[in-house]
Amino acid sequence: LFWAFIFLAVLVYIFGVTIRQMSRDEVERCAQSGVCSVEQEAFKRHYENLFSNLLQSMFTVFRCLVGECSNTDGTPIPPMMLDMHGPLFAIGYVIVTCFVMFGVFNLVMAIFVENTLETARLSQRKRTLARQAESVRVAKELQKVVLMFCAGGSSDTTGRSPNNFRGTFGRFFGSSESPAPAETLQEVDKMSMSVTRVVFMKLMDDAKVKALLEDLDVAISDKEKLFDIIDSNGNGVVDVNELIEGLMKMRGPVDKGDAVGTALMTRQVMRDIRKLEREMHQWNRTLKANQNRILQKLPNS
C-alpha cells in the first residue's frame, strides 16, 4: 500500500511538471508577443493560483484527478487548456485520467482490501492458536487434578481395570495410539478409578489441588456441594468420567443461562412426572374395572 501511494505521488509529480512547463511557456509566449487570445487572457488571470510553482501545479493536477478540476471562479480547467493546446491535450487528458482513475486508484483499493483480508486471516489464526493453546493448558491442568484425586482415591475400582483407566485418559487427554511412558503407566496401575467423599474432602484442602482448580477457574467455596454436583448418580463415589465432566462443567463464572436451563429442564421433568402420574391413575382405574368385571363373571362359590 505504501508503494502504491508512492507511485501515485510520482505520477502527480510528472504530470505537475509537464503541465507547469506547458502553462509557463504559453504565458511567456503571450507576454512576449503582446497579442493574447481570449482563452490566454482568461488563463493568465488564474495562472498564479494554478501553476505558479511546482507545488501549486501538483496540487492542481491532483484536484483534476480526483474530480474537482476548476478555477477559483468555478470555470472548468480542461476546456480552457483544450482551447490553448488543441486536441492533443484532450487525448492526453483522457488517457491519463482513465489510467489513474481505473488503474492506479483501483490498484490502491485492491492492495488495501488485500491487506485488510490478510490482517483478518492473521488475527483469526492467532485466535485459533490461542484457543488451541488454552485447550492444551486446560487439558494438562485437568489431567493433573484427576491424577491427584485418583492417586488418593479409595481401593474400590468398581470392577474396572487399569487398562480401562488408561483408555479413559487416552480419550480425554490424548490419542490412544501414542504409548505413555512406563513410569506413568506404573503410577496409573496403582491408582483408583473412584474417589469417595472422605478422600475428596481431604484432597480439597490440599494447596496444590486448590491452585490447580483456581487455574481451571473452578469455584471451590463449598466442598460438600461441589462433591454432590460432581457425583451425578448419587452413589457417594465419584469416578473418573464424573470427575472430568463435572470439573469441565464447573469452569468459568456463573451464567444466567445455566440457571434458566436448569429451571426449564426441571419444569419439563415435573411435567413428565405429572403426565406419568395421570397415566398410572388411568391404568389403575382400568385394571380395577377389568378386575371387577372378571369377579362378576365368576360363579358364586
Side-chain angles (χ1 to χ4, degrees), residues 86-194:
L88 289 178
F89 175 82
I91 295 174
Y93 177 77
V94 171
I95 293 175
V96 170
T97 302
C98 292
F99 174 74
V100 174
M101 293 292 293
F102 300 107
V104 178
F105 286 169
N106 285 340
L107 175 63
V108 172
M109 183 61 66
I111 294 175
F112 179 78
V113 172
E114 183 181 1
N115 290 340
T116 303
L117 294 177
E118 183 65 23
T119 302
R121 285 193 294 267
L122 290 176
S123 299
Q124 180 64 29
R125 184 177 180 183
K126 290 180 180 179
R127 288 193 294 268
T128 302
L129 293 176
R131 285 195 297 267
Q132 292 177 353
E134 178 64 15
S135 299
V136 172
R137 186 192 70 81
V138 170
K140 290 181 178 179
E141 297 290 340
L142 186 58
Q143 184 180 19
K144 294 177 182 178
V145 172
V146 174
L147 288 174
M148 293 182 69
F149 273 102
C150 293
S154 65
S155 59
D156 179 15
T157 61
T158 64
R160 300 178 65 179
S161 65
N163 292 329
N164 292 333
F165 186 52
R166 290 193 293 268
T168 300
F169 274 99
R171 290 194 304 272
F172 282 101
F173 302 120
S175 174
S176 59
E177 297 178 356
S178 58
E183 57 273 11
T184 303
L185 295 180
Q186 291 177 2
E187 294 178 0
V188 170
D189 291 341
K190 298 177 182 179
M191 293 179 181
S192 171
M193 289 301 297
S194 59

Side-chain angles (χ1 to χ4, degrees), residues 227-254:
F227 182 85
D228 293 333
I229 293 173
I230 296 176
D231 186 16
S232 57
N233 56 9
N235 62 351
V237 176
V238 175
D239 60 17
V240 174
N241 291 331
E242 288 178 330
L243 185 61
I244 294 174
E245 184 177 0
L247 292 178
M248 291 301 294
K249 292 291 185 181
M250 292 294 294
R251 292 188 66 242
V254 178

Side-chain angles (χ1 to χ4, degrees), residues 35-80:
V35 179
C36 301
S37 63
V38 178
E39 293 81 6
Q40 289 176 336
E41 289 292 341
F43 182 76
K44 285 177 61 178
R45 291 196 300 270
H46 301 288
Y47 173 76
E48 293 296 330
N49 295 326
L50 298 178
F51 306 105
S52 59
N53 53 61
L54 179 60
L55 184 61
Q56 193 73 34
S57 178
M58 291 176 60
F59 181 66
T60 303
V61 170
F62 180 77
R63 286 171 49 209
C64 291
L65 292 178
V66 297
E68 203 277 314
C69 192
S70 60
N71 295 323
T72 55
D73 58 358
T75 306
I77 298 177
M80 183 176 56

